Amino acid sequence: MKNIRLVVLLEASLMAAFAVILDMLPSIKLSPSISISIAMVPIFLLSYRRGWKAGMIGGFVWGILQISLGDAWIATPVQMVIEYFIAFAFIGLAGTFTGTIQNTLGSNRRSKAILWVVIATFAGSLARYFWHFIAGFVFFAEYAPDEMSPLLFSFIANGITMLGSALLCSIVLVIIVNMAPRLIKVPSHHQEISRKAS
């Protein structure tokens, strides 16, 4: 049991580091407030392999790394906690669909697995950007155009970012499910015993 927990923690750390690397790649910048990338993919992979708790740990570690590397936009300590600890951790809630994804992959129902991966990816993205939306209108109201309310500005900016990132991440994850499902599928206890016995 302790070995499994250690493996999960190592996976969470590696996926968080991989997310940082992907975040350094050029992203689609529609404006200073709207940036679309595939950086969440490793946290989604972790969530679909190990569940929501591991996903939340991975997202939390990613947020810490963002701050440690100086790649964070910090206005106040409260905003930092909301946008880099809470928001990043909430990506892991996509892992609430892990059981369904693992079952569909295990029974070779790949098209259903793809559907659930896409649904889970949008759910995890929504969970993250809900917190960015809150922080946007509370802490960055001055960036809203004069004729637009900060609430609407944050909703539009974070909504477009969320939809764009969720779509890009979904495309990458669908490719992974089709070409390398082992990156998501975790062997069951029975399969592990059979593999060791052979």
Side-chain angles (χ1 to χ4, degrees), residues 75-99:
T76 71
V78 175
Q79 174 264 334
M80 177 188 73
V81 169
I82 291 171
E83 291 213 89
Y84 293 95
F85 295 159
I86 298 173
F88 278 58
F90 264 62
I91 300 166
L93 287 183
T96 54
F97 295 88
T98 297

Side-chain angles (χ1 to χ4, degrees), residues 29-41:
K29 282 222 178 257
L30 301 179
S31 78
S33 305
I34 301 171
S35 179
I36 298 168
S37 80
I38 59 167
M40 290 188 289
V41 165

Side-chain angles (χ1 to χ4, degrees), residues 104-122:
T104 51
L105 282 174
S107 56
N108 289 321
R109 290 178 291 160
R110 198 165 289 186
S111 58
K112 269 211 164 164
I114 286 169
L115 174 65
W116 283 110
V117 163
V118 171
I119 290 169
T121 301
F122 273 84

Side-chain angles (χ1 to χ4, degrees), residues 21-169:
I21 292 166
L22 288 179
D23 208 26
M24 291 177 181
L25 297 175
S27 59
I28 301 169
K29 282 222 178 257
L30 301 179
S31 78
S33 305
I34 301 171
S35 179
I36 298 168
S37 80
I38 59 167
M40 290 188 289
V41 165
I43 307 303
F44 286 132
L45 281 175
L46 173 67
S47 301
Y48 304 150
R49 281 177 58 80
R50 300 296 184 179
W52 66 270
K53 288 181 185 175
M56 290 190 85
I57 291 168
F60 183 79
V61 172
W62 179 20
I64 290 172
L65 289 173
Q66 290 280 91
I67 294 166
S68 303
L69 294 170
D71 196 25
W73 193 4
I74 299 170
T76 71
V78 175
Q79 174 264 334
M80 177 188 73
V81 169
I82 291 171
E83 291 213 89
Y84 293 95
F85 295 159
I86 298 173
F88 278 58
F90 264 62
I91 300 166
L93 287 183
T96 54
F97 295 88
T98 297
T100 306
I101 292 167
Q102 290 293 326
N103 288 339
T104 51
L105 282 174
S107 56
N108 289 321
R109 290 178 291 160
R110 198 165 289 186
S111 58
K112 269 211 164 164
I114 286 169
L115 174 65
W116 283 110
V117 163
V118 171
I119 290 169
T121 301
F122 273 84
S125 301
L126 181 62
R128 173 188 175 177
Y129 283 98
F130 167 78
W131 293 102
H132 291 306
F133 161 67
I134 298 290
F137 74 80
V138 172
F139 299 103
F140 299 106
E142 69 268 20
Y143 292 98
D146 293 336
E147 66 282 355
M148 188 182 289
S149 78
L151 191 73
L152 181 61
F153 177 71
S154 184
F155 179 77
I156 291 170
N158 286 294
I160 293 171
T161 304
M162 184 276 287
L163 289 171
S165 294
L167 183 62
L168 272 187
C169 289

